[in-house]
Amino acid sequence: MAHRVASVVLRRPLWTLLLASLLTLAGAWITARGLAFDTSFAALLPEDSPELLEVRELQKMAGGTVELVVAVQGGVPEERLSFGRALVKSLRQNPVVQRADVEFPVDFFEQRRLLLLPMERLETLRDRIDEEIQRARARANPLYVDLEEDGPSPWAAVERIESGDSKQALPQRVYTSADGASLYVRVKPTGNCSDMSTGATVLASIQGTVDKQLAGAAGLSVRYAGGLAVNQQQNQQMSRDLSRAALVALVGILLLLTLHIRRLAAP
């Protein structure tokens, strides 16, 4: 069989090249329409695997599995904060964004400081308050004689906690760098951004919103960080490396054929 194919190729080289070209074009057309490069780690698991189902359920409730940070630089702090707040409003209207924040809801947690205390400390505080209430009731009786010394009032501890004087300090209200030169806008995308193609689409949409908002803010610039941006950068670098490796391999194969057969037309 190989002898017959070789004989046909030698007798009809031009027809062989034409047939090979047609088959190559047909294969490329079929590949473009029916095949795709799935870069998601979830593609390695069966569709009904418990791990994959749990991740998808989590994505529905909390959004994507990665985060994007938009670092705003330049200008004065007031300008950066004003730009960040306007950008957050624009990003929240983008369908690919689950949520966006530039400020931490400190007031929410300050009003609920007691609810955030460790259970052991809450139980101790509750017991001290109950003892103080019982002693206050007993003192209301004119025949009661209190022989115990007054300790620190539990109400003072409660007031200290509510006023924010406790040791547990809350995070800063605005997301900024340690030196205050950068303002951070934290963005939570929707969808499965571990898939590189989906992540690229989501990142491009968010960048479009940022660029539109940045057009009216002179003196400010932005940089991107976080899992979404890093994954895309690594994927682009890996794609460039693979392209270079494929080109080097192709050139090496052509040189090997030429040197082995000792004819330039052999490849």
Side-chain angles (χ1 to χ4, degrees):
M1 184 64 182
H3 180 72
R4 294 179 182 178
V5 173
S7 300
V8 172
V9 170
L10 291 176
R11 290 198 307 267
R12 298 287 188 272
L14 295 180
W15 285 103
T16 303
L17 289 175
L18 179 61
L19 178 61
S21 300
L22 293 176
L23 291 176
T24 301
L25 292 175
W29 180 77
I30 295 174
T31 301
R33 290 177 58 87
L35 295 179
F37 183 56
D38 192 350
T39 56
S40 173
F41 290 111
L44 302 175
L45 299 175
E47 289 294 329
D48 58 347
S49 62
E51 297 84 1
L52 188 57
L53 295 177
E54 290 178 1
V55 169
R56 289 179 176 174
E57 188 65 25
L58 179 62
Q59 289 176 351
K60 292 179 182 178
M61 295 186 295
T65 56
V66 296
E67 186 182 52
L68 178 68
V69 178
V70 182
V72 183
Q73 299 173 332
V76 297
E78 292 76 12
E79 294 176 346
R80 292 195 295 269
L81 182 57
S82 177
F83 172 81
R85 289 171 175 171
L87 179 59
V88 165
K89 293 181 180 179
S90 300
L91 288 172
R92 288 176 178 175
Q93 298 175 358
N94 193 324
V96 303
V97 175
Q98 178 77 10
R99 67 177 184 270
D101 298 288
V102 71
E103 297 175 280
F104 189 81
V106 175
D107 296 336
F108 177 86
F109 294 98
E110 284 182 343
Q111 297 169 3
R112 296 163 176 81
R113 280 181 178 270
L114 290 175
L115 299 178
L116 302 177
L117 290 177
M119 187 60 65
E120 296 79 7
R121 188 174 178 186
L122 276 177
E123 291 176 352
T124 303
L125 195 59
R126 181 197 60 189
D127 295 340
R128 290 178 57 190
I129 291 175
D130 288 342
E131 293 176 2
E132 188 69 18
I133 292 175
Q134 295 298 329
R135 293 183 64 183
R137 288 177 178 176
R139 288 171 180 171
N141 187 349
L143 300 179
Y144 174 75
V145 178
D146 190 1
L147 300 179
E148 297 182 4
E149 296 182 359
D150 292 337
S153 173
W155 306 109
V158 173
E159 292 176 356
R160 259 196 328 272
I161 295 172
E162 291 183 338
S163 64
D165 295 336
S166 60
K167 295 182 180 179
Q168 296 180 350
L170 292 174
Q172 58 183 357
R173 186 178 299 272
V174 181
Y175 298 129
T176 58
S177 58
D179 57 1
S182 299
L183 176 74
Y184 299 139
V185 178
R186 302 178 62 180
V187 184
K188 189 71 172 179
T190 59
N192 182 21
C193 293
S194 60
D195 182 358
M196 293 299 107
S197 59
T198 303
T201 303
V202 171
L203 181 59
S205 178
I206 295 176
Q207 287 177 337
T209 303
V210 174
D211 293 340
K212 184 177 179 181
Q213 192 72 33
L214 193 62
L220 298 179
S221 60
V222 298
R223 296 179 60 187
Y224 297 94
L228 180 58
V230 171
N231 290 344
Q232 290 299 314
Q233 292 173 1
Q234 291 178 346
N235 182 64
Q236 293 173 4
Q237 183 62 44
M238 183 174 63
S239 299
R240 287 192 294 266
D241 293 342
L242 290 175
S243 299
R244 296 190 188 100
L247 182 59
V248 171
L250 178 61
V251 172
I253 291 172
L254 295 177
L255 290 176
L256 182 61
L257 287 173
T258 303
L259 294 174
H260 179 71
I261 303 177
R262 298 179 183 179
R263 289 181 57 190
L264 293 177

